[in-house]
Amino acid sequence: LIGCFGRLAPHKNYDTVLRALARVKVISPDTDIWCAIGGVGSDRERLEDIASTEGVQDRVVFAGWQPDRHRFLSALDVLALPSSDEGLG
């Protein structure tokens, strides 16, 4: 389980994670890989469209706001931080 957590905004670059997931699916179709994206924001619809276009919508969970961030992050096997501009990243 690969995941990200934060505001869904273009500079967070979550589309890179979705496209990487799609590449893994092509290269190794039997790999049991999932992506969880926690958070809310104006970029959700665009990210959902990318997941659909890339053919990974069945492997992506948009988990919304998570009041217990520690629990959400602890469930991940890999934390992705693809932000192009992050003050404390």
Side-chain angles (χ1 to χ4, degrees), residues 4-23:
C4 314
F5 182 84
R7 185 167 44 94
L8 304 184
H11 78 277
K12 294 291 191 173
N13 212 16
Y14 295 149
D15 51 315
T16 298
V17 175
L18 297 174
R19 290 188 177 99
L21 180 66
R23 290 191 68 188

Side-chain angles (χ1 to χ4, degrees), residues 53-83:
T53 300
E54 294 290 337
V56 294
Q57 71 279 0
D58 61 330
R59 292 291 177 160
V60 178
V61 175
F62 290 93
W65 179 249
Q66 299 293 308
D68 188 349
R69 293 180 298 271
H70 299 291
R71 183 174 179 202
F72 179 85
L73 295 171
S74 293
L76 303 176
D77 296 304
V78 176
L79 171 65
L81 185 60
S83 296

Side-chain angles (χ1 to χ4, degrees), residues 12 26 29 37 51-52 86:
K12 294 291 191 173
V26 168
I37 299 176
S52 180
E86 195 69 58

